[in-house]
Amino acid sequence: MSSRSRQREDVEKAYEIQVRAGIEGATRMTAVGVGLAIIAHYSWPLFRRQRLPFKAFLVSGFTIAGLVHSAENALLKHEAERRREESIIRREARIDLARQGVICTESEIAKWREAREQSTS
């Protein structure tokens, strides 16, 4: 698998993770916003007098905040995991190439990775 196709695959996976987490976060925070709006409506006369568009605006604020925070946190976790995996692979490549007496460069790491992927396939 070439580095471009691997990168494209990583981008698609990150996008799917971010979308899924964003939808879950938006749903969760929408429920929180609606719940708080209902509680405020029945317990606070000033809020009860507010028009529906204002209340909907507040709930949509909760929804957007949940979407953004959840999607961003999920993407940051995914990126940290990918960095950890890449670091482990690169460490293996450096050790293996050093045992072979080859100077570890980016092109040598790429060749090592291709040879490793072909041997495991």
Side-chain angles (χ1 to χ4, degrees):
M1 176 182 295
S2 70
S3 63
R4 288 195 190 272
S5 62
R6 188 180 314 118
Q7 181 182 12
R8 191 176 314 116
E9 191 175 287
D10 286 345
V11 168
E12 289 173 9
K13 184 177 178 184
Y15 178 75
E16 290 172 9
I17 290 171
Q18 196 172 20
V19 166
R20 188 176 337 111
I23 290 171
E24 290 173 4
T27 304
R28 189 178 315 118
M29 289 306 290
T30 299
V32 169
V34 168
L36 289 175
I38 290 170
I39 290 170
H41 178 80
Y42 285 110
S43 63
W44 193 23
L46 182 63
F47 190 79
R48 190 176 305 139
R49 287 192 294 261
Q50 298 300 318
R51 304 288 231 140
L52 185 60
F54 177 72
K55 294 175 185 178
F57 173 73
L58 291 177
V59 172
S60 69
F62 275 92
T63 303
I64 292 168
L67 172 101
V68 170
H69 289 294
S70 296
E72 184 67 19
N73 286 337
L75 185 61
L76 288 175
K77 286 178 186 176
H78 173 71
E79 288 175 347
E81 181 181 323
R82 288 293 300 143
R83 275 193 304 273
R84 221 175 7 258
E85 291 171 0
E86 185 68 21
S87 176
I88 290 169
I89 290 171
R90 291 176 70 80
R91 187 177 304 124
E92 280 182 42
R94 285 193 309 263
I95 291 170
D96 194 35
L97 290 172
R99 285 182 186 145
Q100 296 172 11
V102 177
I103 296 175
C104 187
T105 61
E106 290 297 321
S107 59
E108 289 297 328
I109 290 175
K111 289 176 190 175
W112 178 87
R113 185 179 297 209
E114 287 176 15
R116 183 176 180 221
E117 287 176 357
Q118 288 176 357
S119 68
T120 58
S121 296

